[in-house]
């Protein structure tokens, strides 16, 4: 009987540990992250590029299927944006459509740690194109449907054009994503859920 009890405890512990390393996204299937007060702040040059609107659309990846932390929850890539800078004025923003939202760990209440990754994008104006990218960590609250960035690992990878000296962009400069995004799914789709 002791052996059976011990085996039961081991089994229960194994299940608990396994459950603590996976998640299951559901809902949608369409996701529409609507940005509020979205700013790309470039640390070294002290410049802000404010974007309004800045919306990111996509689809829940295989809803209802469990997967390990660090895996994709939402495939993103449809961007709607208008960005501007006090010096550059209206600025063209373009992005690679390979963005994705991953879940990186266990939830605290309704709040999940997430990462917006595979972000490759560029800003262009006045004969200057600045390419930058990387990942942004943050949280997604399933009760409010809000993604809030916390830390950014966004670096400038390329600076091209004679007018880039105006703002003194340099390869290796850091960018910070500010603001927040609220999921407002289109008709026929529901809120994003994670369990």
């Amino acid at each position: 009987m002791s052996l059976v009890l011990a085996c039961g405890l081991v089994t229960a512990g194994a299940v608990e540990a396994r459950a603590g390393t996976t998640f299951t996204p559901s809902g949608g299937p369409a996701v529409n992250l609507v940005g509020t007060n979205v700013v790309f702040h470039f640390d070294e040059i002290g410049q802000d590029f404010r974007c309004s609107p800045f919306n990111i659309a996509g689809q829940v990846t295989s809803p209802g299927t469990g997967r390990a932390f660090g895996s994709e929850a939402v495939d993103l890539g449809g961007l709607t944006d208008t960005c501007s800078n006090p010096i550059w004025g209206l600025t063209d923003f373009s992005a690679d459509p390979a963005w994705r939202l991953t879940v990186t760990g266990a939830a605290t209440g309704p709040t999940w740690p997430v990462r917006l990754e595979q972000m490759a994008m560029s800003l262009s104006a006045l004969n200057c194109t600045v390419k930058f990218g990387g990942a942004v960590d943050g949280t997604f609250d399933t009760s409010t449907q809000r993604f809030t960035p916390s830390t950014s690992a966004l670096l400038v990878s390329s600076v091209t054009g004679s007018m880039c000296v105006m703002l003194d962009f340099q390869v290796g400069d850091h960018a910070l994503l500010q603001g927040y995004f609220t999921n407002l799914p289109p008709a026929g789709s529901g809120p994003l859920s994670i369990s």
Side-chain angles (χ1 to χ4, degrees):
M1 185 171 180
S2 297
L3 180 60
V4 171
L5 179 59
C7 289
L9 290 173
V10 169
T11 302
V15 170
E16 183 176 281
R18 185 168 63 250
T21 60
T22 64
F23 72 96
T24 302
S26 57
V31 171
N32 183 37
L33 298 175
V34 176
T36 300
N37 299 325
V38 175
V39 177
F40 287 99
H41 173 76
F42 288 82
D43 285 340
E44 285 80 3
I45 61 174
Q47 290 291 321
D48 290 340
F49 287 82
R50 299 184 178 277
C51 303
S52 179
F54 193 94
N55 305 332
I56 315 171
Q59 298 281 326
V60 178
T61 305
S62 301
T65 302
R67 66 210 70 180
F69 289 145
S71 300
E72 179 178 287
V74 183
D75 177 26
L76 297 166
L79 272 73
T80 303
D81 58 86
T82 300
C83 301
S84 64
N85 170 265
I87 297 175
W88 276 14
L90 287 177
T91 303
D92 181 59
F93 179 95
S94 62
D96 187 305
W99 292 22
R100 65 181 199 161
L101 189 73
T102 65
V103 174
T104 58
T108 301
T111 304
W112 291 81
V114 296
R115 177 174 294 138
L116 189 58
E117 58 184 33
Q118 295 183 183
M119 300 172 70
M121 50 206 148
S122 66
L123 293 165
S124 301
L126 303 176
N127 192 31
C128 177
T129 298
V130 178
K131 294 182 179 181
F132 64 109
V136 173
D137 286 319
T139 57
F140 185 80
D141 187 322
T142 54
S143 64
T144 62
Q145 292 290 292
R146 179 177 291 186
F147 165 59
T148 304
S150 55
T151 59
S152 300
L154 300 173
L155 296 175
V156 173
S157 58
S158 173
V159 178
T160 307
S162 60
M163 294 303 291
C164 293
V165 295
M166 180 183 293
L167 294 183
D168 195 28
F169 278 108
Q170 301 290 329
V171 172
D173 283 355
H174 296 80
L176 176 68
L177 175 61
Q178 301 172 335
Y180 62 89
F181 298 82
T182 304
N183 180 34
L184 300 177
S189 289
L192 171 61
S193 178
I194 307 172
S195 59

